[in-house]
């Protein structure tokens, strides 16, 4: 018999992530400093969970904003209007989450919905007929490696392909099933490369 | 990514706990067959939560997953499924037995009884949480002011980890003392019953849930009473909680200033807020809610029966957090909670000021609920408390009362067949109970946010409010078509801009949105407002946005007059 948890809170036991992001949005801390805060929070969580004697730890349950958005972002499911802003990857991610109004353009945020029957909200990924699903991100791997370097083999977590398709919005003529083959293809190298 | 050396990967598939069609299951199969055919030794866990997988259990067990994560708490049929259909011997069961959504300490005897019924070998069993612990606060260690007599019944994320390892210890035969301590805790009553309130709930009659006269008649009376312009403008209730507002509260909580000083500061804020709203030309005003930290916690702190915490934050959206109160015992109202602020704000202006209350369903849904009393009974207790507050506001001259139910949609059961029988059949009456006794001329507003409720519009109409505002701007106003289709009766304020983003909508943009609304909803039924409260926004963007909203409304009114509409 083993023990595990499906995911752990990520905001920080004193909401450190919230305060760090607010500072980042006001440009009083850099992307690197924000990343450093996030890394410390993940480290603290690993310490708490493994310290309590839990056998298997998840990873990639951390997020700057939302894990559904993270999975979409990892797989290049990013509408053109955000890419056209030509922002850094992190700022493009935040533009999807919060909207962007600045010298690079003016776009509203992606839609946000209640996560099932909870008071948590997820960002609704948006597909259109030009959506080119492919593995472009590294977050899930980076966070696995970070834990591995700290001596813990974690169980990476992603929103599964089915739930991802079911929760997304479709702006073009293509339907969820039309994306199934490319989505599988994008997720396969990930599972293949993971271990071999 | 080669050589990373992961053993398991967890793919979250909570969508499976909703009703599944044949086409859904086909899509699931098409997605997973190729993935599971190329695992290369990696183990794949299909993780579900928030319910049971009755439609897909056969499929899940037949596909080549290495582990299945099932929710034994919210999943009403999960245990029956694994017992009656069995669990494949080659798969690992990740059994969700510790509640990831609520904060009560687990009763170990009950958990052990559950675990013993699981038809899996010891080495194929992983004890887990029912969902991610994202939905509970970090740790009781952050609550030094909370008395031990309460804390011993509670478990936040960190304490739930211990519960999992405690159960493992007991099951491996080394946890007698742990089990005995847990049994001793549950052998005694947790709280003292409030017999007055339980009797009051038990004696509720059908007529307690119906407001007279009917909607149309009230609408005519209220039109005369308020004499508002076409497309009346208002806000949802809260104004920006500036640094100074938060500092004032924190100083008061630390005892650095007196209650009078605290109140006086808030009165100044209310005054400035009312002046601001008059200046920019809004029609129905609010007091701004500077005295409220959170729309549920504020009431929880004043009602009997709630426990409140200092640092028990839970993420709501982005990095925004809420601090849900804990419904500890029977809920009762002992004093006015909002009257003073509303009456003061109303004394400053001839325009109507809305009284602002949080509805009973939202208070339930945004609290950690009891597990020893049904949600229906708990909600009726809260509804009676809010009803008393509603009547107190009315008695003190407040003519428009908004009873917010932003969270009404979110606890809708995930399976359609359960919507009415397990939820709406008591949730909607609970709202009606709150306002059933007010005068016909008193206008009752409600607000709902981030909700897809196109599919329960009849139930929303049955709340029998006079006006409802809701979030629609981030959903491209698609709800308008549904309102139109269903001949929605209640007057509506579909938010004209998204307050969850710091972006300022231009006057032209807002005017365009109003025009879109008017294409779908009769002019006389439309209100103009932002899509949610403004507390999370800065003052600068709020001022600019509201000015644009009022200007856009005036522009549209002029056009309407010009066109003779």
């Amino acid at each position: 018999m083993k023990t595990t948890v499906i995911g752990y809170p990520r905001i920080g036991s004193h909401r450190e992530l919230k305060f760090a992001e607010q500072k980042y949005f006001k440009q009083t801390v850099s992307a690197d400093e924000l990343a450093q805060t996030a890394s410390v929070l993940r480290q603290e969580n690993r310490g708490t969970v493994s310290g309590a004697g839990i056998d298997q730890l998840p990873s990639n349950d951390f997020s700057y904003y939302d894990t559904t958005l993270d999975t979409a972002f990892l797989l290049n499911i990013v509408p053109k209007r955000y890419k056209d802003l030509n922002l850094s990857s992190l700022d493009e991610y935040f533009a999807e989450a919060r909207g962007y109004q600045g010298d690079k353009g003016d776009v509203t945020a992606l839609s946000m919905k209640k996560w099932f029957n909870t008071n948590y909200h997820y960002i609704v990924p948006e597909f259109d007929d030009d959506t080119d699903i492919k593995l472009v991100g590294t977050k899930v791997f980076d966070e696995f490696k970070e834990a591995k370097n700290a001596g813990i083999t974690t169980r990476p977590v992603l929103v599964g392909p089915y739930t991802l398709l079911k929760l997304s919005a479709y702006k073009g003529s293509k339907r969820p099933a039309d994306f199934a083959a490319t989505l599988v293809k994008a997720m396969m190298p990930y599972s293949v490369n993971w271990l071999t | 990514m080669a050589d990373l050396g992961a053993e398991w990967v967890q793919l979250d598939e909570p969508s499976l706990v909703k009703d599944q069609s044949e086409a859904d299951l086909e899509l699931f199969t098409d997605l997973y067959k190729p993935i599971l055919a190329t695992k290369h030794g990696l183990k794949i866990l299909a993780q579900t939560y928030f319910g049971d997988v009755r439609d897909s259990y056969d499929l899940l067990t037949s596909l080549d997953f290495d582990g299945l994560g099932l929710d034994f708490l919210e999943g009403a049929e999960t245990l029956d499924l694994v017992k009656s259909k069995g669990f494949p011997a080659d798969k690992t069961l990740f059994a969700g037995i510790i509640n990831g959504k609520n904060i009560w300490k687990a009763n170990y005897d009950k958990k052990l009884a559950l675990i013993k019924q699981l038809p899996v070998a010891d080495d194929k069993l992983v004890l887990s949480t029912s969902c991610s612990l994202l939905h509970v606060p970090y740790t009781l260690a952050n609550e030094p002011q909370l008395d031990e007599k309460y804390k011993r019944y509670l478990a936040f994320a960190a304490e739930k980890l211990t519960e999992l390892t405690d159960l493992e210890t007991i099951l491996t035969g080394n946890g007698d003392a742990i089990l005995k301590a847990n049994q001793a805790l549950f052998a005694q009553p947790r709280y003292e019953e409030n017999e007055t309130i339980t009797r009051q709930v038990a004696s509720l009659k059908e007529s307690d849930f119906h407001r007279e006269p009917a909607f149309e008649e009230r609408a005519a009376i209220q039109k005369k009473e308020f004499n508002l312009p076409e497309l009346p403008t208002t806000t949802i209730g809260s104004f920006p909680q500036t640094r100074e507002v938060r500092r004032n509260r924190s100083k008061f909580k630390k005892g650095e200033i007196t209650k009078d000083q605290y109140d006086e500061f808030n009165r100044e804020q209310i005054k400035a807020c009312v002046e601001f709203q008059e200046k920019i030309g809004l029609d129905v005003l609010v007091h701004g809610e500077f005295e409220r930290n959170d729309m549920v916690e504020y009431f929880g702190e004043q009602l009997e029966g709630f426990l409140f915490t200092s640092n028990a934050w839970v993420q709501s959206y982005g990095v925004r957090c809420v601090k849900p109160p804990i419904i500890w015992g029977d809920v009762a109202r002992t004093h006015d909670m909002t009257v003073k602020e509303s009456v003061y704000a109303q004394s400053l202006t001839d325009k109507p000021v809305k009284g602002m209350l949080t509805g009973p369903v939202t208070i339930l849904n945004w609290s950690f609920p009891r597990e020893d009393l049904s949600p229906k009974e708990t909600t009726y207790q809260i509804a009676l408390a809010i009803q008393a507050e509603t009547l107190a506001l009315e008695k003190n001259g407040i003519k428009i009362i908004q009873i917010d139910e932003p969270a009404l949609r979110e606890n809708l059961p995930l399976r359609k067949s359960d919507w009415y029988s397990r939820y709406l059949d008591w949730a909607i009456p609970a709202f009606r109970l709150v306002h059933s006794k007010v005068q016909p001329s008193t206008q009752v507003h409600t607000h709902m946010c981030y909700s897809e409720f196109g599919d329960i519009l009849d139930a929303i109409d049955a709340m029998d409010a006079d006006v409802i505002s809701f979030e629609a701007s981030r959903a491209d106003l698609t709800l308008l078509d549904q309102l139109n289709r269903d001949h929605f009766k209640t007057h509506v304020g579909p938010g004209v801009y998204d307050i969850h983003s710091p972006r300022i909508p231009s006057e032209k943009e807002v005017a365009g949105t109003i025009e879109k609304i008017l294409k779908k909803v009769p002019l006389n039924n439309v209100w103009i407002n932002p899509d949610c409260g403004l507390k999370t926004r800065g003052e600068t963007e709020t001022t600019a946005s509201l000015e644009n909203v009022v200007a856009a409304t005036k522009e549209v009114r002029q056009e309407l007059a010009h066109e003779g509409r």
Side-chain angles (χ1 to χ4, degrees):
Chain A
M1 188 187 315
K2 300 270 186 241
T3 51
T4 192
V5 294
I6 294 176
Y8 207 70
R10 57 190 185 233
I11 195 73
S13 75
H14 291 91
R15 291 182 294 162
E16 292 86 343
L17 184 63
K18 175 192 173 88
F19 301 123
E21 283 189 23
Q22 283 174 336
K23 285 183 191 152
Y24 178 70
F25 298 144
K26 286 182 187 152
Q27 298 181 346
T28 57
V29 304
S30 67
D32 283 348
E33 287 167 303
L34 174 61
Q36 181 55 31
T37 301
S39 177
V40 169
L41 290 174
R42 290 191 293 265
Q43 184 192 344
E44 284 173 3
N45 272 3
R46 286 193 300 267
T48 305
V49 180
S50 64
I54 298 294
D55 302 308
Q56 295 183 12
L57 273 63
S59 62
N60 201 40
D61 54 339
F62 175 83
S63 178
Y64 279 132
Y65 208 92
D66 170 54
T67 51
T68 304
L69 177 62
D70 291 344
T71 302
F73 201 74
L74 179 81
L75 298 170
N76 199 37
I77 303 163
V78 178
K80 185 169 176 295
R81 60 183 183 279
Y82 300 104
K83 298 198 160 197
D84 286 349
L85 295 169
N86 285 312
L87 299 167
S88 70
S89 171
L90 179 65
D91 288 345
E92 181 177 288
Y93 170 86
F94 281 132
E96 287 193 278
R98 314 172 68 236
Y100 177 88
Q101 201 167 34
D103 46 11
K104 302 279 182 68
D106 185 354
V107 287
T108 55
L110 284 173
S111 187
M112 189 158 85
K113 283 184 183 167
K114 296 267 188 196
W115 178 244
F116 296 84
N117 53 2
T118 72
N119 183 29
Y120 176 75
H121 302 67
Y122 71 98
I123 297 291
V124 182
E126 194 180 291
F127 287 75
D128 56 46
D129 291 352
D130 298 323
T131 302
D132 177 22
I133 307 172
K134 57 186 177 193
L135 180 65
V136 292
T138 58
K139 177 179 181 292
V140 61
F141 310 112
D142 296 342
E143 290 179 17
F144 178 82
K145 279 190 266 188
E146 178 187 80
K148 184 88 181 178
N149 289 338
I152 300 176
T153 301
T154 54
R155 185 181 71 241
V157 181
L158 287 172
V159 173
Y162 177 71
T163 295
L164 185 70
L165 287 178
K166 294 301 278 186
L167 295 183
S168 295
Y170 298 85
K171 298 291 172 180
S173 58
K174 289 188 187 169
R175 305 329 307 160
D178 300 325
F179 293 99
T182 45
L183 182 57
V184 164
K185 225 170 162 183
M187 291 190 97
M188 248 172 356
Y190 138 82
S191 63
V192 171
N193 288 341
W194 205 278
L195 198 74
T196 53
Chain B
M1 281 320 300
D3 306 322
L4 273 191
E7 187 191 357
W8 283 93
V9 167
Q10 171 184 329
L11 296 174
D12 283 3
E13 294 291 7
S15 283
L16 288 178
V17 308
K18 294 185 169 183
D19 294 318
Q20 302 295 303
S21 67
E22 283 301 315
D24 288 333
L25 297 181
E26 208 174 294
L27 175 61
F28 187 87
T29 311
D30 288 347
L31 287 165
Y32 274 101
K33 275 215 161 137
I35 290 175
L36 296 171
T38 54
K39 289 189 288 187
H40 292 255
L42 190 64
K43 292 180 182 169
I44 297 196
L45 161 65
Q47 181 65 56
T48 65
Y49 38 84
F50 304 142
D52 62 59
V53 293
R54 66 189 79 159
D55 334 68
S56 57
Y57 188 76
D58 291 339
L59 177 61
L60 284 169
T61 48
S62 69
L63 288 171
D64 195 19
F65 287 109
D66 303 275
L68 298 180
L70 305 177
D71 177 353
F72 285 86
L73 300 184
E74 270 193 278
E77 294 188 13
T78 305
L79 184 61
D80 280 350
L81 283 170
V82 296
K83 279 169 71 178
S84 65
K85 293 175 180 277
F87 193 82
D90 60 341
K91 296 191 199 309
T92 301
L93 174 61
F94 288 70
I97 54 158
I98 291 295
N99 197 332
K101 270 184 164 179
N102 213 342
I103 45 65
W104 300 102
K105 184 143 191 56
N107 180 325
Y108 290 172
D109 273 335
K110 287 189 181 167
K111 301 297 174 192
L112 294 167
L114 169 64
I115 295 166
K116 282 176 185 152
Q117 294 180 67
L118 302 177
V120 283
D122 191 61
D123 64 340
K124 293 287 182 188
L125 177 63
V126 181
L127 301 181
S128 185
T129 50
S130 65
C131 62
S132 169
L133 293 172
L134 177 69
H135 308 290
V136 292
Y138 264 79
T139 174
L140 283 166
N142 284 348
E143 305 298 330
Q145 86 313 327
L146 198 61
D147 199 295
E148 191 53 38
K149 71 179 173 187
Y150 301 121
K151 270 202 259 196
R152 60 191 168 147
Y153 289 99
L154 305 175
F156 294 174
E159 293 76 31
K160 284 172 189 287
L161 301 173
T162 307
E163 294 189 332
L164 285 164
T165 53
D166 276 357
L167 289 168
E168 190 185 24
T169 308
I170 294 166
L171 285 161
T172 48
N174 303 313
D176 275 0
I178 295 171
L179 181 59
K180 282 210 175 82
N182 187 271
Q183 286 167 333
L185 183 69
F186 285 95
Q188 46 188 307
R190 186 171 54 79
Y191 73 103
E192 202 175 320
E193 185 183 328
N194 179 333
E195 283 176 27
T196 314
I197 188 77
T198 52
R199 248 199 318 267
Q200 212 181 340
V201 169
S203 60
L204 285 169
K205 316 177 289 295
E206 189 56 28
S207 61
D208 291 321
F209 297 93
H210 291 280
R211 184 178 175 196
E212 299 292 343
F215 174 83
E216 289 76 11
E217 203 177 318
R218 296 192 319 256
I221 295 169
Q222 291 163 16
K223 196 172 165 61
K224 275 195 200 130
E225 172 77 28
F226 298 108
N227 196 25
L228 294 168
E230 277 177 339
L231 303 174
T233 52
T234 191
T235 60
I236 304 305
S238 62
F239 267 71
Q241 295 253 325
T242 57
R243 186 185 297 255
E244 293 73 31
V245 170
R246 281 177 284 134
R247 190 175 291 156
N248 181 52
R249 181 178 308 122
S250 118
K251 276 198 215 157
F252 175 56
K253 287 205 165 166
K254 285 182 198 149
E256 294 170 13
I257 56 171
T258 66
K259 176 84 167 74
D260 282 348
Q261 286 172 311
Y262 173 72
D263 287 346
E264 185 49 37
F265 175 92
N266 283 336
R267 277 164 70 93
E268 282 164 21
Q269 296 290 314
I270 291 172
K271 188 154 183 275
C273 186
V274 168
E275 278 167 6
F276 167 75
Q277 294 172 78
E278 283 204 308
K279 190 181 107 218
I280 68 163
L282 288 161
D283 300 308
V284 172
L285 314 189
V286 296
H287 75 279
E289 299 178 25
F290 305 104
E291 76 288 4
R292 303 185 193 178
N293 37 3
D294 173 276
M295 61 182 291
V296 169
E297 192 188 31
Y298 180 75
F299 289 91
E301 283 182 352
Q302 301 197 67
L303 290 165
E304 203 173 275
F306 285 79
L307 273 191
F308 48 94
T309 56
S310 304
N311 295 295
W313 297 100
V314 177
Q315 259 175 286
S316 168
Y317 71 88
V319 286
R320 177 155 177 77
C321 297
V322 293
K323 193 148 52 84
I326 297 163
I327 304 179
W328 175 262
D330 295 323
V331 176
R333 175 183 179 275
T334 58
H335 58 274
D336 287 350
M337 300 181 282
T338 67
V339 175
K340 193 175 64 185
E341 289 81 8
S342 289
V343 166
Y344 174 64
Q346 185 64 80
S347 75
L348 301 169
T349 175
D350 293 332
K351 291 187 171 175
V353 174
K354 292 192 277 192
M356 300 299 311
L357 302 174
T358 303
V361 183
T362 294
I363 292 182
L364 178 91
N365 289 349
W366 284 356
S367 299
F368 290 112
R370 286 169 65 172
E371 289 176 346
D372 58 352
L373 186 73
S374 73
K376 172 181 168 174
E377 282 171 282
T378 309
T379 310
Y380 284 2
Q381 289 185 355
I382 303 168
L384 286 170
I386 303 298
Q387 181 195 66
E389 185 71 15
T390 304
L391 295 173
L393 282 169
E394 184 182 60
K395 199 175 138 206
N396 283 281
I398 302 301
K399 294 181 167 166
I400 302 185
I401 299 169
Q402 181 169 315
I403 304 154
D404 286 345
E405 283 290 17
L408 190 121
R409 174 66 168 78
E410 79 188 29
N411 257 11
L412 196 65
L414 296 171
R415 289 177 185 274
K416 214 166 181 170
S417 51
D418 296 334
W419 280 5
Y420 283 86
S421 60
R422 295 186 65 168
Y423 185 64
L424 292 171
D425 285 348
W426 57 260
I428 301 298
F431 182 85
R432 286 205 306 259
L433 179 59
V434 174
H435 69 99
S436 61
K437 307 245 185 291
V438 300
Q439 297 300 313
S441 61
T442 296
Q443 194 167 67
V444 172
H445 289 217
T446 187
H447 173 71
M448 299 175 67
C449 63
Y450 278 119
S451 303
E452 297 175 288
F453 42 81
D455 40 14
I456 53 163
L457 281 178
D458 284 348
I460 306 295
D461 240 359
M463 290 163 76
D464 204 24
D466 297 305
V467 180
I468 177 169
S469 61
F470 50 80
E471 187 282 325
S473 59
R474 252 194 189 191
D476 296 332
L477 299 163
T478 40
L479 191 56
L480 297 175
D481 290 319
Q482 294 160 326
L483 293 175
N484 183 280
R485 185 197 63 207
D486 289 12
H487 307 289
F488 195 67
K489 167 196 82 175
T490 316
H491 292 178
V492 292
V496 293
Y497 77 92
D498 174 17
I499 69 92
H500 303 81
S501 150
R503 225 184 133 258
I504 297 163
S506 69
E507 183 183 326
K508 187 162 164 251
E509 196 177 321
V510 176
T513 303
I514 298 174
E515 291 290 357
K516 265 194 230 162
I517 294 170
L518 290 177
K519 287 205 176 85
K520 305 284 182 186
V521 185
L523 174 64
N524 289 328
N525 293 9
V526 178
W527 283 66
I528 304 300
N529 45 259
D531 73 347
C532 202
L534 301 164
K535 66 181 278 197
T536 58
R537 292 271 65 91
E539 275 185 311
T540 323
E541 71 226 27
T542 298
T543 302
S545 299
L546 290 179
E547 281 172 351
N548 289 349
V549 167
V550 173
T553 307
K554 287 183 174 161
E555 183 190 316
V556 176
R557 280 178 193 154
Q558 266 172 9
E559 276 167 32
L560 291 172
H562 187 67
E563 292 164 19
R565 275 200 266 165

